[in-house]
Amino acid sequence: NAGVTQTPKFQVLKTGQSMTLQCAQDMNHNSMYWYRQDPGMGLRLIYYSASEGTTDKGEVPNGYNVSRLNKREFSLRLESAAPSQTSVYFCASIPVDRSYGYTFGSGTRLTVV
Amino acid sequence: DAKTTQPTSMDCAEGRAANLPCNHSTISGNEYVYWYRQIHSQGPQYIIHGLKNNETNEMASLIITEDRKSSTLILPHATLRDTAVYYCIVRVAFSGSTGKLIFGQGTTLQVKP
C-alpha cells in the first residue's frame, strides 16, 4: 500500500546510546518531515527536507541529525540519546502541489532510560 | 504562519453533526486553512483544506467566514470512530514554501453514544 513507512515501531534506548529512525515514502513526494509528539502535546517539527539534497532545522532540532538519502528516504539520527528525547516520532511527506495535504507514518515510540 | 485558537475539548452525540470552530484572525491572503485529526496517537490524518471558498469532501465540510478570520469544520454525522484530536492549521500551501506545518494543541472531540 502506498504511504509512509517508519521503522522501528518501538525502541528502548539507554542514555548515551545512538540510533537512527528510518522513514520511506513511495508516493514520489518531494518534501519530507520529522515531528515529535510528547504526551498530551501537539506535534513539534524537528527537521524537514523540502526536496532531495536539502535539509533544514525546524522548531526543536537540538540533539538530532537528519539525512535525505534519496527522494524516498529521510532518516533521523540521535547521536547520544537523552531521557528528554523520549517521545513518539512521526515522519510525513507531501507532494509538490500539496493538493491533499500531508501523509504521516504510524510513528516510532522511543523511550530513553 | 498565522496563529490559530481552538477550544480544548468538545462533545458531540453520535449521529449528530460535529461543528469544530477555529479562530485565525491574523491570517494572510495567501494562507490556507488545513484540518487534520489524530486518533489514539496514530499519525495525523489529513481531512480538508481551503483558501476562501467553502469546501466539501467525503470526510467533512469546511466553512470559512467571508473575512477569513475564522472557520468551522463540520463532520455531518459523527460516529464513535470520529473521536480524536482535531488540529486547525493555517499556512502558505504551494510551491515556493517550505511546507512546514505548525501544530497547536487542537480540539479533543468526544463522540458519545
Side-chain angles (χ1 to χ4, degrees):
Chain A
N1 289 337
V4 177
T5 302
Q6 291 184 237
T7 56
K9 293 191 184 305
F10 301 92
Q11 183 71 49
V12 178
L13 288 178
K14 294 182 179 179
T15 297
Q17 285 185 317
S18 62
M19 80 161 294
T20 299
L21 281 64
Q22 306 286 352
C23 175
Q25 51 90 10
D26 57 5
M27 297 170 287
N28 202 35
H29 288 176
N30 279 2
S31 300
M32 298 184 72
Y33 306 82
W34 276 105
Y35 289 88
R36 63 176 286 176
Q37 186 173 34
D38 301 327
M41 304 279 289
L43 280 78
R44 292 185 292 170
L45 181 64
I46 306 172
Y47 269 95
Y48 63 97
S49 171
S51 61
E52 185 179 357
T54 68
T55 61
D56 284 288
K57 296 179 180 179
E59 303 170 84
V60 288
N62 292 343
Y64 305 95
N65 285 304
V66 290
S67 295
R68 184 73 183 268
L69 304 171
N70 47 55
K71 193 170 186 178
R72 290 186 65 249
E73 299 172 288
F74 188 39
S75 63
L76 178 71
R77 182 161 179 84
L78 287 71
E79 291 291 351
S80 179
S84 61
Q85 294 178 304
T86 293
S87 191
V88 181
Y89 291 84
F90 291 103
C91 178
S93 69
I94 192 167
V96 171
D97 66 1
R98 311 181 195 284
S99 55
Y100 56 88
Y102 290 62
T103 300
F104 282 83
S106 57
T108 295
R109 283 151 182 79
L110 176 67
T111 302
V112 183
V113 298
Chain B
D1 295 335
K3 187 174 174 134
T4 62
T5 304
Q6 300 176 252
T8 303
S9 63
M10 293 182 63
D11 290 341
C12 177
E14 188 178 18
R16 304 296 294 269
N19 296 281
L20 290 85
C22 180
N23 287 321
H24 30 78
S25 58
T26 61
I27 192 170
S28 300
N30 61 346
E31 288 183 313
Y32 285 67
V33 180
Y34 283 81
W35 282 86
Y36 286 78
R37 72 180 182 183
Q38 190 173 24
I39 298 171
H40 237 286
S41 297
Q42 297 175 17
Q45 176 189 24
Y46 165 79
I47 300 173
I48 198 167
H49 75 284
L51 182 63
K52 51 185 174 183
N53 297 322
N54 297 338
E55 301 288 345
T56 295
N57 62 21
E58 65 278 3
M59 289 183 67
S61 295
L62 174 61
I63 308 298
I64 303 173
T65 58
E66 192 168 344
D67 63 7
R68 304 211 317 124
K69 293 185 177 182
S70 66
S71 60
T72 301
L73 178 74
I74 301 172
L75 308 177
H77 305 287
T79 71
L80 299 179
R81 290 179 297 178
D82 291 322
T83 293
V85 179
Y86 287 77
Y87 296 98
C88 168
I89 301 162
V90 170
R91 62 165 306 281
V92 177
F94 295 107
S95 58
S97 161
T98 58
K100 294 184 292 184
L101 278 182
I102 305 297
F103 287 78
Q105 295 296 311
T107 297
T108 299
L109 175 68
Q110 182 73 47
V111 180
K112 299 186 174 181

